[in-house]
Amino acid sequence: MSKIKLRAIEPEDLDLLYQIENDTRLWNVGSTNVPYSRYTLHDYIANSSDDIYADRQLRLIIENAEDNTVGLVDLMNFSPQHLRAEVGVVIMDCYRHQGYATAAIEQICDYASRILHLHQLYSIVGTDNTSALKLFTKTGFSTHTMLKEWLFDGKKYGDALIMQRVLQLLT
């Protein structure tokens, strides 16, 4: 298992955020398919409160044991009423297949449960995204619903699965 730490986004992370948000290869696996300007991302970093209740999202940088930035993990679409959030992770190409995504998902699940007191996390994963399906299955997420023709890649629609992990039981 790769050792990682999660930290808040700093102004110095602007180039990384710009690179990830404007990587068109990632647009088909997420809900964003437009480029972001440096100004917009700078404004996001400057105005983010790092409070999931205020922002309805939380974006954290993933660093490895050598303090190299390897990617980011997001909690988004946060519902304070239902205590759930969608989770997503992006690992930079040169750090993929080294266990960082697994470590990040496990750590964000622990943080979401112990610190944020969320009940569940979920992810919407394209059925053709075998790496993400394997990642979420490996980290305790299970599949509950098929969303037919949910994702559009510019040429065709693809099915997606809702993968869910219940973090704690309320008593």
Side-chain angles (χ1 to χ4, degrees), residues 43-62:
D43 192 51
Y44 166 77
I45 292 170
N47 293 308
S48 175
S49 68
D50 294 325
D51 177 355
I52 196 167
Y53 282 88
D55 298 337
R56 296 293 193 255
Q57 67 177 356
L58 178 64
R59 177 167 267 185
L60 299 170
I61 297 294
I62 306 165

Side-chain angles (χ1 to χ4, degrees), residues 43-90:
D43 192 51
Y44 166 77
I45 292 170
N47 293 308
S48 175
S49 68
D50 294 325
D51 177 355
I52 196 167
Y53 282 88
D55 298 337
R56 296 293 193 255
Q57 67 177 356
L58 178 64
R59 177 167 267 185
L60 299 170
I61 297 294
I62 306 165
E63 289 185 344
N64 65 12
E66 293 78 35
D67 294 326
N68 296 318
T69 299
V70 300
L72 58 89
V73 63
D74 290 312
L75 295 179
M76 57 214 146
N77 298 321
F78 169 62
S79 169
Q81 178 183 4
H82 302 293
L83 296 174
R84 68 173 172 244
E86 184 175 357
V87 63
V89 62
V90 175

Side-chain angles (χ1 to χ4, degrees), residues 1 35 47-48 53 57 62 72 96 98 102 118 122 133 158:
M1 175 69 56
N47 293 308
S48 175
Y53 282 88
Q57 67 177 356
I62 306 165
L72 58 89
R96 290 189 180 157
Q98 298 178 40
T102 300
L118 298 188
Y122 69 94
L133 292 170

Side-chain angles (χ1 to χ4, degrees), residues 151-171:
L151 301 172
F152 185 64
D153 68 4
K155 297 177 184 170
K156 63 179 178 10
Y157 286 93
D159 298 342
L161 298 169
I162 297 178
M163 300 194 72
Q164 176 187 32
R165 178 170 165 184
V166 175
L167 301 173
Q168 62 187 8
L169 296 175
L170 299 176
T171 56

